[in-house]
């Protein structure tokens, strides 16, 4: 079974692109299971179920969505295998720019909105810099010159990425993404590792501390001047 992990900024069109991709895969005789990871609420699962794709929804609530997805990835793979799926597609929450959801052998897909500004690719982290494919959406809403600048910014961050321009409304470019998914390798859970360390979640705020005074905080802490330290036993 192949595993595809789709990450990106909120509102970039991840779900819309995936719906077109899934339709293309099904026309070619492939089966897929989708896991939709979000924080507090989502109804995107209805869009996948509407086209006949088995869908599992996971809400991370107070937990970092990356940590939540990584912790539950074994159960996701088992569920997709029970469905006899050729693909497990995991759409992550897109909570922060520090997300690092990809594993070594998955196909890592970053979906990014071209209208978010020319420097956005420089501001985001591993979900762009470690992706195999970068899907640029909403490119029809900016000029050709702006699209070229945006493309160059992506290549500055990830020179090895394959860039696909896609439209979540018309489906343009989604067939190319589906073809790349078909060419991706199968995964084995026993040998899987993350491509990049996950965001830190090891301080007192992570476990419920609400007082803001610095003296109450322990764990791995990063100061405004960039100095990172560990406080505690």
């Amino acid at each position: 079974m192949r595993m595809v992990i789709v990450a990106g900024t909120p509102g970039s069109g991840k779900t819309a692109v995936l719906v077109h991709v899934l339709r293309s895969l099904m026309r070619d005789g492939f089966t897929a299971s989708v896991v939709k990871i979000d924080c507090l609420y989502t109804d995107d699962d209805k869009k996948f179920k509407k086209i006949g794709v088995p869908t599992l929804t996971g809400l991370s609530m107070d937990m970092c969505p990356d940590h939540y997805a990584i912790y539950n990835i074994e159960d996701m793979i088992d569920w997709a295998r029970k469905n006899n799926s050729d693909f497990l597609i995991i759409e992550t929450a897109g909570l922060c720019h520090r997300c690092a959801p990809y594993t070594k052998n998955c196909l890592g897909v970053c979906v990014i909105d071209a209208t978010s500004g020319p420097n956005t690719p420089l501001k985001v982290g591993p979900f762009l810099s470690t992706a195999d494919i970068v899907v640029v959406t909403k490119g029809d809403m900016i000029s050709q010159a702006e699209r070229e600048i945006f493309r160059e910014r992506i290549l500055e961050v990830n020179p090895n990425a394959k860039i696909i321009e896609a439209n979540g409304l018309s489906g343009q470019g989604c067939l190319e993404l589906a073809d790349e998914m078909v060419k991706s390798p199968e995964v084995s859970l026993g040998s899987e590792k993350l491509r990049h360390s996950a965001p830190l979640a090891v301080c007192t705020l992570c476990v419920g501390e609400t007082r803001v005074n610095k003296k109450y905080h322990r764990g791995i802490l990063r100061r405004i001047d960039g100095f990172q330290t560990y406080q505690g036993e």
Side-chain angles (χ1 to χ4, degrees), residues 2-46:
R2 302 169 181 88
M3 183 166 67
V4 181
I5 298 179
V6 182
T9 50
S12 58
K14 297 185 293 294
T15 301
V17 166
L18 278 178
V19 167
H20 287 289
V21 168
L22 286 163
R23 284 176 174 151
S24 177
L25 291 173
M26 289 189 292
R27 281 196 299 268
D28 290 338
F30 294 103
T31 58
S33 293
V34 172
V35 179
K36 169 65 181 180
I37 302 293
D38 223 311
C39 297
L40 300 175
Y41 169 81
T42 184
D43 61 359
D44 288 343
D45 55 311
K46 296 176 183 176

Side-chain angles (χ1 to χ4, degrees), residues 78-165:
D78 288 344
W79 171 74
R81 282 183 174 149
K82 287 177 183 176
N83 294 333
N84 295 315
S85 296
D86 299 307
F87 291 90
L88 167 61
I89 300 175
I90 302 170
E91 182 188 335
T92 65
L95 175 66
C96 72
H97 288 176
R98 175 54 182 82
C99 299
Y102 311 126
T103 62
K104 293 280 188 184
N105 297 303
C106 80
L107 182 69
V109 179
C110 169
V111 181
I112 190 165
D113 174 1
T115 66
S116 58
N119 291 323
T120 297
L122 304 178
K123 297 177 182 178
V124 301
F127 77 80
L128 173 58
S129 63
T130 63
D132 300 301
I133 297 172
V134 178
V135 177
V136 180
T137 59
K138 306 180 187 178
D140 56 323
M141 299 176 68
I142 60 175
S143 68
Q144 177 63 31
E146 289 172 312
R147 287 198 295 273
E148 290 299 324
I149 292 170
F150 199 80
R151 185 184 184 91
E152 288 304 312
R153 291 286 189 269
I154 291 171
L155 293 174
E156 283 182 43
V157 175
N158 187 344
N160 298 317
K162 179 181 177 66
I163 300 175
I164 297 175
E165 293 190 15

